[in-house]
Amino acid sequence: MKIKKPRILTGDTPSGRLHLGHYVGTLENRVKLQSQYDTFILLANVHAYANDYTKIDQINDNVYQVYLDNLAVGIDPNISTIYLESGIPETLELYSYFLTMVTHTRAVRNPSVKDEIKYKKFDPSMGFICYPILQAADILGFNASLVPVGEDQLPVIEQTREIARDFNKVFADTFVIPKAMVGRVPRLIGTDGQNKMSKSGHNAILLSDDEVTLKQKINSCYTDPSRIHATDPGHVDGNPIFEYHYAFNPDKAEVDDLAKRYKQGQVGDREVKDKLFIALNNFLTPIRDKRKYYEQRPKLAKEILVESTKKARKVVTKTLKIVRQKMAINKLI
Ligand code: ATP
Ligand code: MG
């Protein structure tokens, strides 16, 4: 299969609005690379059903919010194609063929799936257990060569690579073997100091949070539990307020000075949090403004989504034609 410009396929499950972790884990790379790569961004609503298929209204609202979040950080719809997963039924056909290629043992062994089940504390649907296989169909349907993701997704991309290799072995070279690209902060910690910042974890600072919400979240953010008084020496590693300073405060000298004084017990949480608020608020202001631009133009936003989904579907339809031929799926009709 010949491709002119290398392709990127990446995206988000609409299980909530996007947060700072998405920014450093994947959004930043999407924006940076969108002019170099033919970029496709997936609003993964079918994946969201695998979390809870009863939450239809919530999923649809989240699809729209995640769409706006992507535009707000600088995804340019004139360059990148941002589309709705369910608008490409061919992806689901490809998924059903891939399901036959992955053993049950391999599916339940996926570390991303195992971690998420533990973290989300739920009895997973089959759709959830098999979500990496659907993701393989999302990616391989475009023959994408690069997938910008956070570190938690590496085992999922590994499974995509395996499926592509297995398919190529049996049916001759069909799929490009994609590579994962992890962002500058592979796994941003949550405001609760636990695990990663996550949409479903109630431990996220959202890209769309207003100033008041941002202030509240920073004020109630977990810091160093072993530090009772401002004069106690504190820990900066694994401390969310410092991890966020390192990731988002452009004034490196200020961050170094705060970290030095924190370790020596010469600065209180108050000052560190107030300075973090200023840095994060400056970072979020242009993102909020761009979001507002599209929020105020819902007709334009919808038109872009409809057209982009049609464009994306054409690409996957071509892949499916080749896959069906190779698998001799419709030989008798
Ligand atoms: P959920 O809790 O529903 O799984 P999520 O917050 O993990 O939601 P996803 O839609 O699963 O978000 O992830 C979208 C992309 O963002 C993936 O590439 C994922 O690796 C990346 N990502 C999510 N959270 C973080 C984080 N805290 N740090 C770095 N990257 C992240
Ligand atoms: Mg996730």
Side-chain angles (χ1 to χ4, degrees), residues 7-203:
R7 285 198 188 122
I8 277 181
L9 183 287
T10 183
D12 318 283
T13 314
S15 46
R17 293 175 179 226
L18 300 188
H19 51 65
L20 297 178
H22 293 110
Y23 189 84
V24 285
T26 166
L27 296 173
E28 193 174 40
N29 278 337
R30 296 178 196 180
V31 174
K32 244 190 247 162
L33 296 171
Q34 64 182 336
S35 46
Q36 260 165 275
Y37 284 77
D38 199 6
T39 299
F40 291 85
I41 296 168
L42 147 91
L43 300 166
N45 61 336
V46 183
H47 280 272
Y49 287 98
N51 283 325
D52 185 345
Y53 72 96
T54 64
K55 300 263 160 63
I56 314 281
D57 289 344
Q58 206 172 307
I59 292 171
N60 279 326
D61 182 51
N62 286 337
V63 165
Y64 195 60
Q65 301 307 333
V66 170
Y67 174 50
L68 293 179
D69 284 329
N70 271 278
L71 295 172
V73 296
I75 291 299
D76 179 350
N78 295 311
I79 305 179
S80 297
T81 309
I82 177 157
Y83 72 95
L84 188 66
E85 186 179 36
S86 59
I88 310 187
E90 287 76 12
T91 302
L92 300 171
E93 182 181 336
L94 191 57
Y95 170 50
S96 66
Y97 303 146
F98 288 170
L99 278 170
T100 66
M101 296 168 53
V102 179
T103 65
H104 174 262
T105 317
R106 175 65 182 96
V108 296
R109 206 178 62 214
N110 189 308
S112 299
V113 174
K114 278 174 33 182
D115 277 1
E116 279 183 65
I117 292 172
K118 209 158 94 191
Y119 177 61
K120 290 179 180 169
K121 298 188 184 84
F122 70 159
D123 183 11
S125 66
M126 288 308 294
F128 188 82
I129 289 169
C130 296
Y131 95 75
I133 307 172
L134 175 57
Q135 201 161 312
D138 291 323
I139 297 167
L140 300 179
F142 287 89
N143 260 305
S145 54
L146 197 68
V147 191
V149 284
E151 180 193 59
D152 62 296
Q153 285 291 300
L154 288 177
V156 176
I157 308 305
E158 198 41 51
Q159 188 147 20
T160 299
R161 289 161 59 84
E162 262 173 54
I163 291 172
R165 278 194 221 103
D166 288 348
F167 193 98
N168 286 352
K169 225 183 282 164
V170 178
F171 301 107
D173 278 351
T174 308
F175 294 117
V176 172
I177 312 292
K179 282 200 184 87
M181 182 194 223
V182 174
R184 76 183 151 95
V185 181
R187 183 186 292 249
L188 192 72
I189 194 169
T191 53
D192 55 359
Q194 305 284 322
N195 209 290
K196 72 171 189 65
M197 186 175 283
S198 173
K199 289 194 230 93
S200 11
H202 307 293
N203 64 356

